[in-house]
Amino acid sequence: MLSAIYGAFADMPAIDKNIVSKRMVMVGFHATDYKDEELKELKQQIENGLVAGVVFYGYNIESRRQVKRLIAELNSHNRSFVPLMMAVDEEGGRVQRLTVDKGFVEEPTAQYIARHMTPDQAEKVYELTARDLADVGFNVNFAPVIDLNINPASPIIGGIERSYSSNVDTVVAYAKAFINAHRKYGVITCLKHFPGHGSSKKDSHQGFTDVTDTWNDIELEPFQRLISDGYADMIMTAHVFNGGIDPDYPATLSKKTISLLQDMGYKGIIISDDLQMGAIADNYSFEDTVKLAVGAGNNILLFSNYFFYEKRYPEKVRQVLGIQVN
């Protein structure tokens, strides 16, 4: 239930995931100043209930004070009782946007933490991160990565130490430490990348990534364990292609793949990885991407605006789906 995801908002009524699905687009933007003219359209989209939330990157963050003010300003345009998702990728190591030079606490890579700390020690480290996030207004962290380190040379997972381990028990233990720390500060976490990106030989940011011959169904186990134990606030899909599961589509666009989450008993929010990434954008039209992603079971479509900038994604998605734009 989404009421569990929004545990930080205890005074809010129970929230059904279908309500959030009506605001099915999350976008990025290119600004740091809340007065920037570039944000005018985004503020209007927020007021009109067209976005589920906003994702921030390093170029949006200059300092604690600046980003706190920016988040507060964007939130002030929300007219719905459903809180906006203010999201960031703050995994640690190479993937963190809140850095020391901007006034935040940095954390080591997942691999380093699993090798040098106990889960209890890791939880204390992650509490510092969660406190920083909550203090400036972030309520969603697109982490932890629970991909198994099947291929240590993977350019996007193992090669940059984003995986805790190749061992399921280890990944689950440290993921729970991460999630427990964030829950203490009311920050929603997101398990990624379903159904497993750790065996890949390529980076799905760059293009088509086929794991048919490297993927193993053991990569589903961290997801199953964390779902069963009540640790799945939100799940992000991967753009990997796995012909053993679906011979036609990559996971994000695959109903056969995403339905595996239902088989695991998961009933929460499913968000796509960034649909501007090469694995999707280089191989599918915008119209096909939207129709397939929604048809596959994604509740929220993520468009980072990192690779190229399109201000009207919320309206364009509705048009593709035949939903009236006010």
Side-chain angles (χ1 to χ4, degrees), residues 95-317:
V95 184
Q96 55 187 324
R97 320 302 185 195
L98 311 182
T99 52
V100 168
D101 61 303
K102 298 175 183 179
F104 298 95
V105 174
E106 292 189 20
E107 59 275 4
T109 65
Q111 180 176 295
Y112 180 94
I113 282 181
R115 288 182 176 180
H116 298 281
M117 300 180 191
T118 67
D120 286 344
Q121 290 170 333
E123 186 170 331
K124 296 300 182 184
V125 170
Y126 289 137
E127 282 180 22
L128 299 177
T129 298
R131 183 180 65 187
D132 270 353
L133 291 170
D135 180 63
V136 297
F138 288 110
N139 56 11
V140 176
N141 188 354
F142 286 145
V145 169
I146 62 168
D147 299 316
L148 294 179
N149 194 20
I150 303 295
N151 175 19
S154 171
I156 193 58
I157 304 296
I160 54 174
E161 300 188 5
R162 294 174 73 193
S163 173
Y164 289 110
S165 174
S166 60
N167 179 273
V168 173
D169 290 340
T170 301
V171 170
V172 169
Y174 285 91
K176 286 183 176 180
F178 187 100
I179 294 164
N180 283 333
H182 284 67
R183 286 182 173 178
K184 289 179 182 178
Y185 288 91
V187 179
I188 300 163
T189 54
C190 181
L191 307 180
K192 61 185 187 184
H193 307 80
F194 186 82
H197 206 315
S199 63
S200 66
K201 295 181 179 179
K202 294 183 179 180
D203 178 357
S204 56
H205 290 80
Q206 304 302 321
F208 184 74
T209 302
D210 191 342
V211 298
T212 304
D213 296 329
T214 58
W215 187 88
N216 188 300
D217 59 11
I218 195 174
E219 296 184 57
L220 296 173
E221 290 193 26
F223 292 94
Q224 178 66 82
R225 293 261 300 272
L226 290 164
I227 290 169
S228 298
D229 292 346
Y231 278 85
D233 292 342
M234 184 187 302
I235 293 177
M236 178 178 284
T237 58
H239 296 332
V240 295
F241 176 84
N242 187 338
I245 298 177
D246 188 334
D248 299 313
Y249 300 109
T252 296
L253 308 183
S254 167
K255 188 172 184 178
K256 291 179 180 178
T257 303
I258 293 178
S259 66
L260 295 175
L261 287 170
Q262 295 177 327
D263 296 341
M264 294 179 182
Y266 181 66
K267 298 179 181 180
I269 286 291
I270 299 168
I271 183 169
S272 75
D273 205 344
D274 178 18
L275 292 171
Q276 286 190 340
M277 288 164 56
I280 302 298
D282 293 349
N283 296 288
Y284 297 90
S285 69
F286 176 78
E287 291 77 11
D288 286 346
T289 294
V290 170
K291 290 178 181 178
L292 288 167
V294 172
N298 293 279
N299 304 112
I300 299 175
L301 309 185
L302 175 60
F303 295 94
S304 68
N305 278 320
Y306 180 91
F307 296 94
F308 49 91
Y309 202 13
E310 166 56 65
K311 291 185 178 181
R312 296 187 59 79
Y313 272 128
E315 292 86 353
K316 290 179 68 176
V317 166

